[in-house]
Amino acid sequence: MQTKFEVIVIGGGPAGMMSAINAATNGARVALIDKNRKLGKKLLLTGGGRCNVTNNRPVEDLIRHIPGNGRFLYSTFSQFDNQAIIEFFNSRNISLKEEDHGRMFPVTDRSKTIVDALEKELVALNVTLFKKTTVEKLLADTTKVLGVRTATGDLFAKSVVITTGGKTYPATGSTGDGFTFAKSCGHHVTPLYPTESPINLTDDVIKQKTLQGLALQDVTLSVLNEKGKAVTEHTLDLLFTHFGLSGPAALRCSSFVNQQLKQQTSVSLRLDCFPEKTKTELTAEITERVQQKKQLKNALPNFLPERLLHYFLTSVGIAEKTWPQVSQKELQTFVALCKDWHLHAKSTFGLEKSFVTGGGVELKEVDPKTLASKKKQGLFFAGEVLNINGYTGGYNITTALCTGYVAGMNAAYHAFD
Ligand SMILES: Cc1cc2nc3c(=O)[nH]c(=O)nc-3n(C[C@H](O)[C@H](O)[C@H](O)COP(=O)(O)OP(=O)(O)OC[C@H]3O[C@@H](n4cnc5c(N)ncnc54)[C@H](O)[C@@H]3O)c2cc1C
């Protein structure tokens, strides 16, 4: 078994595969190690099994959609960005298509297309693949890395790239080992927390499962601080579940819920079902649309999904009334529910069941241009192991592929230094 390489990459997710590809493209003899039998196990799950591989928005927008330290990525994206990802796959005969909000998927609608394309490239570049191989520790002296220890023996290289991902969905192999490796080389790891996570609510409407399974389109969900001021808000789709909220709007709000929960035991969320309209406009619209003779529960067809309309009308006590029986005050309370409904969160799902890990390897200790460790020569980082987290929508895979590209290239340069 070959044991000496120029670059060793730990972790065969998107960051690791791209690191290995680009290290090899730059002439290095590369080993890629993953504990699973197959590469890209988590990548296969993304985008509902279709792999939301990147996002077609301008770089500034990408950075805005990476609320966890997106600005660290300016240098990375100046070297390899979303357009470069699209070109990478196009030039390998993998066509991508754009869906809503700039999200890009393979035209096959199968994650396997992306994983196979990356693996094919690894094989073409003669990267040595160590599958079903777990790295147990980093080998290093006081100044530089020397290689890695696996259950089946030691491997040596002048450069080692850690791309072990975060700590979510641990069954995919991402169990946080890279944080331990980083710490063993003197790095700090900032506290880990769940992001892109479904939100648990305490409201009776959830406990009673009144709205379970209801999906709302393009509604605005806001996270409020103790003073009632919005700390973030997102206009996207939302799903009511048996525990609370899921869907893109909830996922995006989740890390802010967790931030607020550090200071308070319950966090208020505000749901606006008509973000395009003011309360005055909505009141006028209701007045115009209402079918006067019917009970209100039947008098506003297609105004809101039926279950939600019924819940709001019942909460105000006007479901059985006809329009002439409704007071101005009741109407305003109803409009307030439509535009300004408050729900209450006590937690989000834990790390294991969240999509993305917040926190990670301290960025001050990593050179943003090369992704090299400032603590140990020859050590590099890429992907979710870093203290970077994006929204769902392709931003995390973009981060993984782009940082992987930069780390792999610089790991090769270092090996030949
Ligand atoms: C269900 C789900 C849906 C998602 N949807 C989206 C989405 O729509 N858009 C988006 O942008 N992001 C999404 N994400 C997030 C995205 O998948 C991750 O951010 C991305 O995969 C991170 O890439 P990575 O290469 O850094 O790490 P990972 O993909 O986690 O890969 C790390 C690899 O390292 C290996 N490894 C770990 N420790 C060791 C060790 N000691 N020895 C050997 N190998 C090791 C693991 O086996 C694993 O294969 C989703 C995540 C989940 C769980």
Side-chain angles (χ1 to χ4, degrees):
M1 182 177 84
Q2 187 185 350
T3 57
K4 293 211 170 82
F5 297 89
E6 273 126 13
V7 175
I8 293 171
V9 180
I10 315 172
M17 287 192 274
M18 188 56 98
S19 279
I21 287 169
N22 208 24
T25 303
N26 281 281
R29 270 177 306 139
V30 183
L32 173 62
I33 309 171
D34 198 285
K35 55 169 76 156
N36 295 322
R37 204 163 44 83
K38 289 186 176 168
L39 301 178
K41 197 167 173 188
K42 185 176 278 184
L43 196 54
L44 284 173
L45 297 181
T46 61
R50 298 194 300 132
C51 191
N52 179 192
V53 66
T54 189
N55 193 291
N56 201 16
R57 293 202 160 138
V59 163
E60 273 302 325
D61 267 10
L62 296 186
I63 287 174
R64 274 198 304 110
H65 286 82
I66 303 175
N69 298 312
R71 290 156 64 87
F72 180 83
L73 295 171
Y74 273 113
S75 180
T76 288
F77 287 153
S78 72
Q79 301 176 64
F80 195 80
D81 63 7
N82 51 345
Q83 298 308 324
I85 292 173
I86 295 167
E87 173 53 29
F88 176 90
F89 286 107
N90 278 343
S91 64
R92 285 157 183 86
N93 291 323
I94 308 295
S95 303
L96 306 181
K97 59 175 172 172
E98 183 172 342
E99 295 193 358
D100 58 340
H101 305 286
R103 297 182 306 149
M104 303 290 294
F105 295 85
V107 291
T108 58
D109 279 330
R110 293 181 73 211
S111 305
K112 196 168 178 303
T113 304
I114 297 297
V115 175
D116 286 351
L118 292 167
E119 183 156 0
K120 194 171 163 201
E121 192 67 16
L122 290 165
V123 172
L125 289 163
N126 288 321
V127 171
T128 307
L129 301 177
F130 291 88
K131 297 180 189 175
K132 267 185 98 175
T133 305
T134 300
V135 171
E136 292 172 349
K137 65 181 280 205
L138 280 188
L139 304 174
D141 64 18
T142 48
T143 56
K144 58 184 186 304
V145 288
L146 303 169
V148 299
R149 174 151 301 160
T150 76
T152 46
D154 292 349
L155 301 174
F156 301 95
K158 205 172 157 195
S159 299
V160 173
V161 190
I162 299 181
T163 59
T164 43
K167 248 187 139 167
T168 69
Y169 281 61
T172 60
S174 316
T175 47
D177 301 1
F179 303 124
T180 312
F181 303 153
K183 283 182 192 163
S184 76
C185 286
H187 279 274
H188 292 94
V189 174
T190 65
L192 306 180
Y193 58 94
T195 77
E196 302 307 293
S197 183
I199 301 172
N200 296 313
L201 298 183
T202 52
D203 304 86
D204 286 343
V205 64
I206 300 298
K207 285 187 203 141
Q208 290 153 5
K209 304 194 178 7
T210 314
L211 301 175
Q212 182 177 344
L214 181 76
L216 300 176
Q217 268 144 29
D218 291 325
V219 291
T220 300
L221 188 67
S222 310
V223 180
L224 307 182
N225 65 15
E226 274 174 317
K227 291 180 182 150
K229 195 166 172 281
V231 290
T232 192
E233 57 182 40
H234 294 283
T235 304
L236 284 165
D237 297 351
L238 185 70
L239 177 69
F240 283 89
T241 66
H242 62 287
F243 55 80
L245 297 175
S246 190
L251 298 183
R252 286 198 182 182
C253 284
S254 61
S255 65
F256 297 88
V257 168
N258 278 321
Q259 301 287 358
Q260 289 305 121
L261 283 171
K262 286 182 188 159
Q263 300 136 40
Q264 42 195 105
T265 51
S266 173
V267 174
S268 292
L269 300 171
R270 184 177 61 212
L271 178 60
D272 181 351
C273 297
F274 294 91
E276 300 289 311
K277 293 172 186 148
T278 63
K279 282 186 184 167
T280 312
E281 285 166 349
L282 198 60
T283 308
E285 184 183 321
I286 293 167
T287 310
E288 196 175 300
R289 281 180 54 171
V290 81
Q291 296 173 12
Q292 301 248 2
K293 285 187 190 151
K294 293 187 175 175
Q295 286 179 319
L296 266 196
K297 64 181 180 195
N298 302 316
L300 281 166
N302 304 323
F303 177 69
L304 274 173
E306 208 175 309
R307 272 193 289 161
L308 188 60
L309 175 68
H310 194 255
Y311 172 71
F312 282 169
L313 292 172
T314 309
S315 305
V316 185
I318 56 175
E320 311 297 327
K321 291 188 180 177
T322 60
W323 180 245
Q325 295 169 320
V326 175
S327 71
Q328 264 309 312
K329 192 163 168 236
E330 285 168 332
L331 175 61
Q332 288 320 311
T333 311
F334 173 63
V335 169
L337 273 179
C338 293
K339 292 268 319 152
D340 209 3
W341 183 25
H342 283 223
L343 294 153
H344 302 90
K346 64 169 194 302
S347 60
T348 69
F349 276 21
L351 254 179
E352 294 74 20
K353 290 182 183 163
S354 300
F355 288 152
V356 183
T357 305
V361 172
E362 171 61 72
L363 297 177
K364 282 191 204 123
E365 299 164 358
V366 178
D367 179 349
K369 290 200 186 78
T370 61
L371 302 178
S373 159
K374 293 181 184 171
K375 298 276 181 186
K376 202 68 93 183
Q377 286 170 32
L379 185 61
F380 296 81
F381 297 98
E384 208 178 305
V385 72
L386 290 164
N387 180 15
I388 297 173
N389 57 281
Y391 293 135
T392 52
Y395 302 102
N396 294 292
I397 298 171
T398 301
T399 300
L401 291 170
C402 296
T403 54
Y405 181 96
V406 171
M409 179 172 70
N410 286 288
Y413 292 168
H414 176 79
F416 294 126
D417 214 8

